[in-house]
Amino acid sequence: MGNEFYKLSVGEKALKFINYMLIIALCLSIVLPFLNILALAFNAGKDAESGGIYFWPRVWSLENFEKVFESTNIASAFGVSIFRTVVGTFAGVLLTAMAAYALKSKTLPGNKFFMMFIFFTMLFSGGIIPTYMLYKSLHLLDNIWIYVLPGLYSAWNLIIFRTFFQQIHVSLEESARIDGYNDFSIFWKIVLPLSRPVIAVIALFTAVGHWNDWFTGAFYIRSEELRPLSTLLQEMLLSAEALRDTLTEAAGVANYERLAKIQVTANSLKMATIIVVVTPIILVYPFVQRHFAKGAMIGSIKE
Amino acid sequence: MQPVTSSVSSSVKPKSKLWKSISTHRYLYMMLLPCVIFFLIFSYIPLGGLLMAFKDYKFNAGILGSPWVGLKYFEAFFNSYEAKQLIRNTLIISGIKLFLYLPFPIILALMFNEIRSKWFKNFSQSILYLPHFLSWVVVMGLTQRILAPDTGLLNEIIAKLGGDGSTFYMMEANYFYQVMFSSFVWKSIGWDSIIYMAAIAGVSPDLYEAAKIDGASKLREIWHITLPSIAPTVVILFILSLGSILSAGFDQIYMLRTPGNMHLADILDTYIIKVGLQQGQYGYATAVGMMQGIIGFILVILANRISRKVSDTSLW
């Protein structure tokens, strides 16, 4: 590689250099804001107000995190997020894969009709208000199962699963049938174990979707303790009122003297919350990152 | 008599065959049944709920029992002073995301293609894919902080360099499009480049060899070989994305909206949420959403047809 480099013309060398520099700059544009937020989250809030904090805290403090956990519903929000991510992903992936396997069978009477029936839902939906009305009549509003039930099946994932299952060799299934397996046990004991890569990818994307969804918690849930992490953060970012309440709470009920004493500020609380929300994703990301990139390709095969 | 009996016997025979086939597939039907029920409830019932767009919805009477109002809500929307601005804002924002953004991930893919160092490529790609997995809530939290007046990172740096450093980027309408577009590029560019990289990887090396023999420079290689080779991919992806032209990205815009930029940031999606969920004008909001859905639907169908004609590739 080194030799090759010396053979290049000056112009090409310059181009190469610029190319590397631009990519490094792009990477920095992603890493540096995170470092900045991290530094602010670990810096005493009142001190940060005077500015000048870049990528390292000036006055170290864990108070932001303490106050966030004391005075907001972040603990229960964490629980809600974990619950919906685990249960929603597990049930959703399993059920969708099962239906996709059934629809893979070319001999199944009505196969084409069912595919159209499902595919159509990707093109046209009733929209937000009729969906809201449906949830209302199903008593799903302000109910924790609203995070799981409407996401049990995904037409898009179903099509990806089906495409994958179609590539599994029929002879495997045929020989299992001779051994006395029924369709369900073939799916469970043969098809699922063979499909680990595609299951991993779809499970990861489903899990990220669950973790990141703030909309459901913001518009279909009323009780504070049923809100997931991302909704909690969204409210902190958009509503000054929610923040003021949190701050007063942090100081003890409307105790202005104590309010003057505590070191946290609206901004420092926000920073700590952002860190709490992204930490699980950042921790898991390096390990699953390869699957994700593969996932982009699976999605594109369809297109 | 004769023809009738024969027709009966021939229609019974396939029927019993059908039944037999259904019963041999009973396990598959059991696996499929919950799925069908799910889509019936969660997708098709809301489709029926679109009737609300033509009714004066009364809570006690339910959707079916409420009185018809015809196209009143559609007329009301198009006659409202907001309609023009909403449609304009939606088209501008999604236009920026469809047209202006289009070359960015392609350029990034071309740039990655020139990187020879494997670890550098893997490492930088890992970093650039990351924002795709963060929600818009988090991204906007970062943006708010970095762009904050005085103490935000950007303003601090500007002040250090001798500039003003007190601009409130999120509040000032002048900066709305810049903030919207750059945060969009920031979040999507890495991930969206993957598909173009795959397309570039598929270009035959023979073509590059031939170009090298002819003494073509790197830039000419890109212009005359790489770009024409990936053009079909670009065209398909672009045509398919046209269907979303009336949804400008609710999450991002909702988080980006401030009193200062509202006249630019109010789009159809945020409007539907406002009048529907927050003000309770169910019928009216359903009508606006339905109009958006129908136009999107027609565009997807058209786009698919064009894509099939142009490139022999289509979604169905």
Side-chain angles (χ1 to χ4, degrees), chain B residues 163-180:
Chain B
D164 168 30
S166 63
T167 321
F168 201 163
Y169 294 99
M170 301 284 283
M171 271 303 169
E172 276 186 37
N174 288 340
Y175 291 105
F176 172 72
Y177 291 119
Q178 287 93 317
V179 174
M180 184 273 294

Side-chain angles (χ1 to χ4, degrees), chain A residues 1-272:
Chain A
M1 189 193 91
N3 283 333
E4 223 175 273
F5 186 76
Y6 290 115
K7 273 188 244 158
L8 298 175
S9 71
V10 179
E12 281 180 318
K13 272 181 203 168
L15 215 59
K16 225 174 169 115
F17 180 74
I18 294 171
N19 189 23
Y20 269 90
M21 284 301 128
L22 280 176
I23 289 181
I24 291 174
L26 260 180
C27 290
L28 286 179
S29 83
I30 288 165
V31 175
L32 294 184
F34 272 107
L35 288 180
N36 184 233
I37 302 291
L38 200 62
L40 287 166
F42 281 100
N43 198 85
K46 289 243 166 89
D47 172 71
E49 298 285 90
S50 57
I53 290 169
Y54 300 102
F55 310 116
W56 203 253
R58 185 167 48 212
V59 180
W60 280 87
S61 159
L62 287 175
E63 201 186 359
N64 296 324
F65 291 95
E66 282 164 20
K67 289 292 180 228
V68 161
F69 275 93
E70 268 172 33
S71 47
T72 65
N73 280 317
I74 204 166
S76 74
F78 212 97
V80 171
S81 284
I82 298 265
F83 164 80
R84 65 171 297 182
T85 304
V86 172
V87 177
T89 306
F90 184 77
V93 170
L94 191 66
L95 286 172
T96 306
M98 219 188 265
Y101 180 69
L103 285 170
K104 184 210 91 160
S105 160
K106 287 207 177 75
T107 52
L108 185 82
N111 168 314
K112 281 226 172 82
F113 166 77
F114 289 123
M115 272 321 281
M116 274 316 291
F117 177 83
I118 291 165
F119 183 63
F120 182 72
T121 65
M122 288 170 76
L123 296 179
F124 201 77
S125 75
I128 222 79
I129 306 298
T131 308
Y132 176 82
M133 291 296 170
L134 172 76
Y135 293 163
K136 196 171 184 174
S137 56
L138 291 176
H139 299 286
L140 277 176
L141 293 182
D142 210 24
N143 178 335
I144 188 145
W145 291 101
I146 196 167
Y147 295 122
V148 176
L149 285 183
L152 281 182
Y153 287 92
S154 136
W156 179 249
N157 290 347
L158 192 143
I159 290 174
I160 293 176
F161 268 132
R162 183 166 166 267
T163 313
F164 188 89
F165 293 155
Q166 278 167 344
Q167 290 157 5
I168 293 177
H169 219 281
V170 207
S171 60
L172 279 172
E173 292 163 48
E174 291 305 325
S175 58
R177 218 177 294 277
I178 291 164
D179 290 345
Y181 282 43
N182 63 36
D183 281 320
F184 182 76
S185 47
I186 291 177
F187 167 74
W188 190 252
K189 292 192 179 132
I190 295 171
V191 173
L192 272 194
L194 282 175
S195 312
R196 260 188 224 131
V198 73
I199 292 174
V201 170
I202 288 184
L204 285 170
F205 275 96
T206 312
V208 170
H210 271 290
W211 188 263
N212 282 343
D213 169 45
W214 59 276
F215 187 92
T216 313
F219 294 107
Y220 301 139
I221 291 286
R222 214 166 278 272
S223 318
E224 296 266 336
E225 68 277 5
L226 287 182
R227 293 192 179 163
L229 265 185
S230 46
T231 306
L232 187 108
L233 175 63
Q234 183 261 332
E235 278 171 356
M236 278 178 112
L237 292 177
L238 282 198
S239 126
E241 204 180 315
L243 263 174
R244 208 178 44 233
D245 290 351
T246 311
L247 272 179
T248 349
E249 177 94 5
V253 186
N255 182 334
Y256 292 103
E257 215 170 285
R258 279 191 63 193
L259 192 57
K261 252 188 227 155
I262 58 164
Q263 285 301 307
V264 294
T265 62
N267 273 325
S268 67
L269 284 179
K270 281 184 198 172
M271 298 306 108

Side-chain angles (χ1 to χ4, degrees), chain B residues 152-211:
Chain B
L153 196 56
L154 184 64
N155 272 315
E156 293 244 23
I157 292 171
I158 289 174
K160 265 243 158 97
L161 297 175
D164 168 30
S166 63
T167 321
F168 201 163
Y169 294 99
M170 301 284 283
M171 271 303 169
E172 276 186 37
N174 288 340
Y175 291 105
F176 172 72
Y177 291 119
Q178 287 93 317
V179 174
M180 184 273 294
F181 185 62
S182 45
S183 59
F184 183 74
V185 171
W186 188 87
K187 189 174 188 312
S188 334
I189 186 171
W191 188 256
D192 289 347
S193 71
I194 295 180
I195 182 136
Y196 296 116
M197 266 185 300
I200 291 173
V203 180
S204 156
D206 298 351
L207 291 174
Y208 293 113
E209 283 303 319

Side-chain angles (χ1 to χ4, degrees), chain B residues 259-281:
Chain B
N261 61 29
M262 226 157 241
H263 60 289
L264 297 176
D266 261 328
I267 54 174
L268 287 172
D269 288 305
T270 57
Y271 183 68
I272 292 168
I273 295 285
K274 190 177 82 186
V275 295
L277 290 187
Q278 287 162 355
Q279 295 170 2
Q281 303 179 46

